[in-house]
């Protein structure tokens, strides 16, 4: 099979998934069923899955990616993930993790998720004052927090341990997890959404945005247009543009740009590909435009970013 055939199969698969999602469009305000046997809910999700989509809910969520790579969106932040990615998502903050998949591929138990009601923390803290230590962390999670370094490694271990435990042992692992996240140093935290992020959400808007995100995430390195996105959800372009901005807090073009830059950062960190090659691979049409957007977004040039985070110890292929 040629590279062109593979690309065509991938595009066809993405189109088919989008069609299925469109036919089954429904509200993406996820309803978290209570667990009568536990104070908080611990679940595993495979991908693709009906619950793995752009959604929001009043419960707080601690999320661990166990396998695969992909892109994620939390509020108006777009980034990339790999196995070991740990994050805390605040109440009502929309989020989605989209894995890079081969046609027909399924990632079994891709993630482990802990969900809990903020009222439970408040009520428990009134009886167990030590739990008040976690309150500032929950307030900060309104923006979403990605944990890095040793904090992420320790948190992942506590999340996994909690899933196999019951009774008091399960609570022990949960409180240990709260302690790890609460005491994580600032250099091992990355705050995600902007402080001013306030989307105007309803079920229909969430479903529309979910479809558009899958279209963009599947095609961002190639041709992505607002006209195609608008046609996908059956809206005129001007209507779609206003609707998307109101529902997500950002313009369609901003979302595409952020996704391409997030992909570029991953390639700069993990490969020694020439910067000029990365520019075109992530969907930019010329190098100067790529450098300008990267500098505005990251506060440094692609070369400096690579030297600081990735393959900087090796000669930069862009200069060979």
């Amino acid at each position: 099979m040629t590279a062109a055939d593979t690309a065509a199969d991938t595009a066809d698969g993405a189109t088919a998934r989008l069609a299925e999602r469109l036919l089954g469009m429904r509200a993406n305000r996820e309803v978290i069923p209570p667990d009568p046997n536990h104070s908080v809910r611990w679940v595993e999700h495979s991908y693709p899955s009906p619950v793995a989509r752009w959604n929001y809910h009043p419960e707080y969520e601690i999320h661990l990616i166990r396998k695969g790579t992909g892109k994620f969106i939390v509020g108006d932040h777009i980034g990339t993930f790999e196995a070991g990615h740990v994050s805390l998502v605040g109440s009502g903050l929309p989020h989605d993790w989209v894995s890079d998949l081969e046609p027909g591929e399924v990632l079994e138990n891709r993630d482990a998720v802990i969900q809990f009601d903020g009222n439970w923390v408040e009520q428990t803290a009134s009886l167990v004052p030590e739990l008040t230590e976690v309150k500032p962390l929950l307030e900060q999670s309104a923006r979403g927090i990605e944990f890095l370094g040793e904090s992420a490694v320790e948190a992942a271990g506590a999340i996994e341990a909690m899933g196999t435990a019951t009774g008091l042992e399960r609570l022990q692992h949960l409180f240990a997890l709260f302690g790890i996240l609460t005491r994580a140093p600032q250099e091992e935290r990355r705050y995600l959404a902007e402080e001013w992020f306030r989307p105007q959400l309803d079920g229909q808007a969430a479903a529309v945005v979910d479809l558009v995100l899958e279209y963009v995430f599947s095609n961002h390195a190639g041709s992505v247009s607002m006209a195609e996105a608008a046609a996908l959800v059956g809206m005129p372009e001007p209507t779609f543009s206003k609707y998307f901005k109101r529902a997500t807090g950002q313009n369609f073009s901003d979302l595409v740009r952020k996704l391409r830059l997030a992909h570029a950062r991953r390639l700069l960190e993990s490969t020694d590909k020439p910067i000029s090659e990365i520019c075109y691979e992530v969907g930019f049409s010329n190098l100067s435009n790529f450098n300008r957007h990267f500098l505005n977004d990251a506060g440094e040039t692609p070369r400096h970013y690579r030297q600081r985070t990735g393959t900087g110890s090796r000669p930069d292929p862009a200069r060979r």
Side-chain angles (χ1 to χ4, degrees):
M1 179 179 289
T2 66
D5 292 334
T6 301
D9 287 345
T10 302
D12 289 344
T15 301
R17 289 196 300 272
L18 286 170
E20 291 171 2
R21 299 276 282 276
L22 185 58
L23 289 172
M25 184 180 288
R26 59 188 183 278
N28 282 24
R29 182 190 183 279
E30 185 179 356
V31 177
I32 308 299
D35 185 342
N37 299 313
H38 299 99
S39 301
V40 302
R41 187 168 182 255
W42 187 100
V43 293
E44 299 171 300
H45 291 151
S46 298
Y47 188 87
S49 166
V51 299
R53 55 183 181 157
W54 198 73
N55 67 86
Y56 58 98
H57 43 74
E59 292 80 7
Y60 294 84
E61 178 170 306
I62 302 171
H63 193 277
L64 166 65
I65 290 285
R66 293 160 150 173
K67 60 182 74 172
T69 61
K71 304 95 180 173
F72 74 96
I73 177 168
V74 172
D76 62 348
H77 175 88
I78 296 175
T80 60
F81 66 78
E82 58 187 18
H85 182 275
V86 174
S87 55
L88 170 61
V89 179
S91 174
L93 184 62
H95 52 276
D96 192 14
W97 284 262
V98 180
S99 290
D100 302 321
L101 297 180
E102 297 296 329
E105 183 182 5
V106 174
L107 294 179
E108 297 291 343
N109 297 325
R110 178 194 69 165
D111 45 33
V113 179
I114 296 169
Q115 295 162 327
F116 58 93
D117 188 343
N119 291 330
W120 173 79
V121 176
E122 290 281 348
Q123 293 167 4
T124 306
S126 67
L127 300 174
V128 185
E130 290 83 356
L131 197 56
T132 58
E133 187 179 345
V134 81
K135 287 185 178 181
L137 178 72
L138 298 186
E139 293 172 359
Q140 294 161 6
S141 74
R143 297 178 58 189
I145 308 171
E146 178 185 356
F147 294 89
L148 312 168
E150 286 301 312
S151 295
V153 173
E154 293 179 16
I159 293 169
E160 294 288 16
M162 184 178 165
T164 59
T166 58
L168 290 175
E169 184 182 0
R170 184 166 179 156
L171 276 181
Q172 177 185 346
H173 291 304
L174 174 64
F175 290 153
L177 176 60
F178 281 162
I180 292 166
L181 300 183
T182 297
R183 299 186 179 111
Q186 289 301 316
E187 61 268 21
E188 294 186 353
R189 303 184 188 196
R190 178 180 292 145
Y191 298 96
L192 302 176
E194 296 289 348
E195 292 184 71
W196 46 260
F197 176 74
R198 294 292 183 275
Q200 297 181 30
L201 296 170
D202 58 54
Q204 183 72 8
V208 166
V209 172
D210 184 44
L211 289 169
V212 173
L213 288 178
E214 184 159 341
Y215 160 71
V216 174
F217 281 16
S218 299
N219 301 284
H220 73 275
S223 176
V224 176
S225 73
M226 188 163 65
E228 287 188 4
L232 178 67
V233 295
M235 291 182 182
E237 274 191 68
T239 303
F240 170 77
S241 178
K242 295 176 182 177
Y243 192 90
F244 190 84
K245 175 68 179 291
R246 187 170 63 248
T248 67
Q250 58 190 315
N251 295 320
F252 178 80
S253 59
D254 290 337
L255 180 140
V256 175
R257 175 181 51 79
K258 288 179 181 180
L259 179 58
R260 287 172 169 166
L261 291 172
H263 189 191
R265 286 194 294 272
R266 179 199 282 177
L267 293 176
L268 289 166
E269 293 168 7
S270 61
T271 77
D272 60 358
K273 291 181 178 181
I275 292 173
S276 57
E277 181 180 331
I278 290 175
C279 160
Y280 296 110
E281 183 172 333
V282 302
F284 284 89
S285 58
N286 65 76
L287 186 58
S288 62
N289 193 35
F290 169 68
N291 284 330
R292 177 172 57 84
H293 282 298
F294 195 99
L295 177 62
N296 289 339
D297 183 75
E300 57 187 329
T301 66
R303 182 176 297 116
H304 288 159
Y305 182 87
R306 165 170 276 172
Q307 291 171 346
R308 182 174 59 82
T309 66
T311 59
S313 58
R314 295 189 288 251
D316 183 354
R319 298 179 64 90
R320 291 176 185 168

